[in-house]
């Protein structure tokens, strides 16, 4: 097998890169470990930055997003019983759009099918070879047979547990990590959202978040200890704890109902430098992980793909390799800004096990500054709705 760009991983990053490159006449093969239904079964945040919407439209997958996505001009923060609004339009002139990652992935699959893309599912034993030469290749198994894919470039879009990042020599990689001492218990329920826009709650009992997927599908989270298991939380126990963490008038608007999905996710911040090594380019979760607090995971994957697709298209269009040579530098500049925002918002909104009275007062003071300072809200809006690429 031969292609221009081998893409390891058929999640949002891999599918979007394949879509953008194919539209530019660059051939791709996507190698995905799981089945398509498994990829589409993942429940992930769907708060799209303005830039993400533009990239998806440029990839030709914006139609359903624009029809069904829910534009938000504001988000809300609460501190115990006080609620305040952050007007994103006033802050930075941009909206965010609520549209589930599953829908983004489905739209990408549909578009890739229409383009006749080569996406191989249930591959195994993927290994990357000759990354520092000019003829890298990928070996893997598919349909019970050993395969070899010749290519010019390899995009590592295989997530945090993939094979691409470890293919960069350990003595070259610098990895930066922070693991948070709590997790998020998330529930999906076929109930109307409590409020039209998102509310992030800081409460002395812990963090909570009210979000949604559509007008009849709500998504809620509460911070829980890392020792908790999903089976420790009945629906009734979840709803009772959730209602205690929002201001009373917000709690009164929450319609409870049976959970159709319930899971606990750990929170970590992680960045691998460099994001490129020879002909290998890391994108999305393969290179970095953010705590979900700032809803940056999918958006950072999209910005990486913006930079890499632009660079590869320039390389193929006129042999100009300048953007390709600086891909990691360009992507990381934006990754670190989103990483800082996600860390800061996580630190601001959660109750830490070893938190002192002073720490709590610092949280209250920062929330008070956001509530009263237009400049503080402007800075928040600029990163939350999306820094420019
Ligand atoms: N070979 C082939 N495919 C692999 C391998 C492998 N060795 N390892 C992992 N994969 C696949 C996974 O099955 C997954 O479908 O790579 C894909 C990686 O997709 P994601 O983990 O979704 O990562 P990414 O495309 O970067 O999207 C980032 O997804 O996980 C969320 O919160 C994250 O919103 C963010 C977004
Ligand atoms: C979600 O809807 O799952 C969601 C929204 C915003 C976040 C995190 C998760 O910051």
């Amino acid at each position: 097998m031969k292609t221009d760009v081998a893409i390891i991983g058929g999640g949002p990053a891999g599918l979007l890169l394949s879509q953008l490159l194919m539209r530019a006449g660059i051939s791709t093969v996507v190698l995905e470990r799981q089945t398509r239904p498994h990829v589409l079964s993942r429940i992930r945040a769907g708060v799209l930055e303005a830039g993400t919407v533009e990239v998806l439209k440029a990839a030709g997958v914006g139609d359903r997003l624009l029809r069904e996505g829910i534009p938000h001009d504001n988000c809300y923060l609460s501190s115990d019983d006080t609620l305040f609004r952050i007007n994103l339009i006033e802050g930075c002139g941009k909206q965010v759009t609520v549209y589930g990652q599953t829908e983004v992935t489905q739209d990408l699959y549909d578009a890739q099918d229409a383009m006749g893309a080569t996406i191989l599912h249930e591959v195994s034993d993927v290994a990357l070879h000759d990354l520092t030469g000019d003829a890298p290749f990928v070996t893997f198994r598919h349909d019970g047979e050993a395969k070899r894919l010749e290519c010019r470039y390899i995009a590592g879009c295989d997530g945090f547990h993939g094979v691409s990042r470890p293919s960069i020599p350990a003595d070259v990689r610098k990895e930066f990590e922070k693991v948070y001492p709590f997790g998020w218990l998330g529930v999906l329920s076929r109930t109307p959202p409590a409020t039209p826009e998102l509310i992030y709650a800081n409460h002395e009992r812990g963090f909570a978040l009210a979000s949604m997927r559509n007008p009849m599908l709500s998504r809620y989270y509460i911070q829980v200890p890392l020792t908790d298991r999903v089976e420790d939380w009945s629906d009734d126990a979840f709803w009772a704890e959730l209602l205690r963490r929002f201001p009373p008038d917000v709690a009164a608007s929450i319609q409870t109902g049976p959970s159709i999905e319930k899971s606990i996710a750990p929170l970590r911040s992680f960045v691998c430098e460099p994001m490129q090594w020879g002909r290998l380019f890391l994108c999305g979760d393969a290179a970095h992980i953010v705590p979900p607090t700032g809803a940056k995971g999918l958006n950072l994957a999209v910005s990486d793909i913006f930079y890499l697709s632009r660079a590869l298209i320039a390389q193929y269009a006129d042999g100009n390799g300048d953007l390709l040579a600086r891909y990691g530098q360009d992507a990381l500049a934006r990754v670190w800004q989103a990483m800082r925002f996600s860390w800061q918002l996580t630190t601001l909104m959660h109750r830490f096990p070893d938190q002192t009275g002073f720490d709590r007062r610092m949280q209250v003071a920062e929330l008070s500054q956001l509530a009263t300072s237009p400049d503080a809200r402007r800075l928040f809006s600029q990163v939350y709705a999306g820094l420019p690429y």
Side-chain angles (χ1 to χ4, degrees):
M1 296 174 73
K2 204 175 177 70
T3 190
D4 290 324
V5 180
I7 299 174
I8 319 300
L15 294 172
L16 178 58
L17 179 63
S18 177
Q19 180 68 7
L20 287 165
L21 294 181
M22 288 183 70
R23 285 168 66 95
I26 298 168
S27 65
T28 65
V29 169
V30 178
L31 303 178
E32 166 56 48
R33 178 168 63 180
Q34 303 291 354
T35 65
R36 183 179 290 203
H38 181 101
V39 174
L40 290 169
S41 69
R42 293 173 183 144
I43 302 288
R44 294 282 192 284
V47 177
L48 308 185
E49 295 172 359
T52 294
V53 172
E54 290 310 306
V55 172
L56 293 173
K57 283 162 59 177
V61 291
D63 292 349
R64 190 162 74 105
L65 160 56
L66 294 175
R67 277 200 316 274
E68 299 177 14
I70 310 168
H72 285 194
D73 291 351
N74 310 284
C75 70
Y76 292 80
L77 300 181
S78 69
S79 175
D80 292 331
D81 290 349
T82 307
L83 179 75
F84 62 94
R85 177 176 69 148
I86 296 189
N87 185 325
L88 303 173
I89 303 298
E90 274 178 15
C92 66
K94 294 178 187 174
Q95 300 174 307
V96 294
T97 302
V98 170
Y99 188 68
Q101 179 172 310
T102 306
E103 309 317 317
V104 171
T105 308
Q106 181 63 66
D107 294 344
L108 285 166
Y109 266 128
D110 293 346
Q112 282 279 276
D113 289 347
M115 293 192 79
T118 304
I119 305 172
L120 303 182
H121 285 93
E122 296 184 277
V123 303
S124 61
D125 302 335
V126 171
L128 314 184
H129 306 273
D130 290 358
L131 295 177
T132 54
D134 56 9
F137 63 95
V138 181
T139 55
F140 60 98
R141 294 191 66 81
H142 187 243
D143 287 345
E145 289 182 18
K147 305 276 188 178
R148 176 181 168 120
L149 176 60
E150 313 281 346
C151 55
R152 286 191 63 196
Y153 302 98
I154 300 174
C157 303
D158 46 349
F160 186 68
H161 301 291
V163 296
S164 295
R165 187 175 69 252
S167 299
I168 299 178
D171 61 350
V172 172
R173 272 182 282 134
K174 290 189 183 64
E175 297 184 350
F176 306 85
E177 183 170 49
K178 181 179 186 57
V179 177
Y180 298 91
F182 39 72
W184 277 19
L185 168 60
V187 158
L188 205 56
S189 63
R190 296 196 194 286
T191 54
T195 56
E197 291 168 320
L198 274 67
I199 302 180
Y200 296 82
N202 171 305
H203 190 275
E204 61 180 0
R205 297 179 63 85
F207 170 81
L209 169 60
S211 182
M212 72 290 290
R213 293 288 178 272
N214 63 49
M216 269 312 289
L217 197 58
S218 295
R219 181 67 166 168
Y220 293 104
Y221 298 94
I222 56 172
Q223 167 189 346
V224 293
L226 280 174
T227 49
D228 278 13
R229 297 163 303 148
V230 177
E231 49 269 28
D232 297 336
W233 285 90
S234 67
D235 283 4
D236 289 347
F238 173 83
W239 292 117
E241 186 59 37
L242 182 84
L243 296 182
R244 296 172 76 169
R245 299 189 183 185
F246 285 105
D249 55 341
V250 172
S253 63
I254 292 177
Q255 287 192 40
T256 64
S259 61
I260 60 172
E261 193 273 343
K262 192 189 297 182
S263 54
I264 294 181
L267 276 69
R268 82 171 71 233
S269 299
F270 174 88
V271 180
C272 170
E273 293 184 357
M275 282 179 59
Q276 65 188 95
W277 172 249
R279 293 294 179 96
L280 171 62
F281 300 86
L282 301 184
C283 311
D285 276 17
H288 40 72
I289 296 287
V290 280
T293 324
K296 290 301 171 194
L298 176 59
N299 291 297
L300 275 182
V302 171
S303 62
D304 291 348
I305 298 305
F306 168 83
Y307 290 121
L308 183 56
S309 60
R310 182 182 69 171
L312 286 166
I313 291 168
Q315 174 67 50
Y316 276 87
D318 51 25
N320 181 341
D322 294 350
L323 289 176
L324 211 48
R326 51 176 297 167
Y327 159 72
Q329 174 189 331
D330 289 344
L332 279 165
R334 197 170 186 282
V335 163
W336 280 115
Q337 287 304 317
M339 202 58 62
R340 183 204 59 78
F341 175 79
S342 303
W343 160 79
Q344 185 182 18
L345 189 57
T346 302
T347 304
L348 173 63
M349 299 304 288
H350 290 76
R351 182 158 185 70
F352 287 71
D354 58 352
Q355 187 165 314
T356 66
F358 179 83
D359 298 332
R360 177 72 182 140
R361 288 293 178 278
M362 289 300 98
Q363 288 185 337
V364 172
E366 188 170 345
L367 285 162
S368 169
Q369 187 183 53
L370 274 168
T372 57
S373 163
D375 289 337
R377 288 196 297 278
R378 193 169 300 121
L379 281 173
F380 180 101
S381 303
Q382 285 164 5
V383 190
Y384 185 79
L387 292 168
Y389 291 164

